[in-house]
Amino acid sequence: MPINLNILEPLRDQTLITTFPGQKILNPEFGMNFGDILFLPVSKARGTTIGETITNSIAGFEPRISIKLVQVIADIETQEYEINLEISVPEFNNNSFNIKGKLNKSGFYSY
């Protein structure tokens, strides 16, 4: 059975993280709603909320993905959040995939 790489597409190209619900006409519920949290001062508590939003959104929109780790580090000095996401896909023999990046009021930038 061939591996379907489309499973990772919404995460690999950051579409799920950078899309606000309502932006996709054909799938209006798709995306993550961070509300105004990205425009407020960076804090650990807000980082926890962001992590919960990421976890719930992935579970809701792509149940074929297993979440191993969602780490959100609040960088007070630069006013951004460092995101470390580790997932696995049972269809890929549960091999782990990492997505890392920075989230701030301008968007999400992976590295």
Side-chain angles (χ1 to χ4, degrees):
M1 182 163 134
I3 293 175
N4 181 1
L5 292 175
N6 290 334
I7 292 172
L8 295 176
E9 195 67 30
L11 292 173
R12 188 176 52 227
D13 66 6
Q14 298 111 36
T15 306
L16 182 59
I17 296 172
T18 59
T19 301
F20 190 79
Q23 280 184 299
K24 292 195 173 271
I25 295 171
L26 297 177
N27 192 359
E29 294 179 12
F30 182 84
M32 294 188 190
N33 185 359
F34 294 118
D36 292 335
I37 202 166
L38 296 179
F39 295 95
L40 297 171
V42 170
S43 72
K44 282 185 173 184
R46 291 186 184 105
T48 298
T49 301
I50 289 169
E52 291 169 354
T53 300
I54 291 170
T55 299
N56 293 337
S57 295
I58 292 171
F61 291 110
E62 193 44 85
R64 297 172 290 180
I65 293 176
S66 297
I67 302 166
K68 292 184 163 193
L69 171 74
V70 175
Q71 181 182 40
V72 180
I73 300 168
D75 188 336
I76 310 285
E77 188 174 311
T78 61
Q79 286 296 294
E80 59 190 7
Y81 298 94
E82 184 176 334
I83 310 290
N84 182 14
L85 177 61
E86 185 179 345
I87 58 170
S88 66
V89 182
E91 190 175 320
F92 297 168
N93 297 322
N94 283 317
N95 290 329
S96 292
F97 298 90
N98 289 320
I99 297 171
K100 295 182 178 186
K102 302 264 184 185
L103 179 68
N104 59 36
K105 62 184 174 184
S106 298
F108 178 77
Y109 305 95
S110 63
Y111 52 86

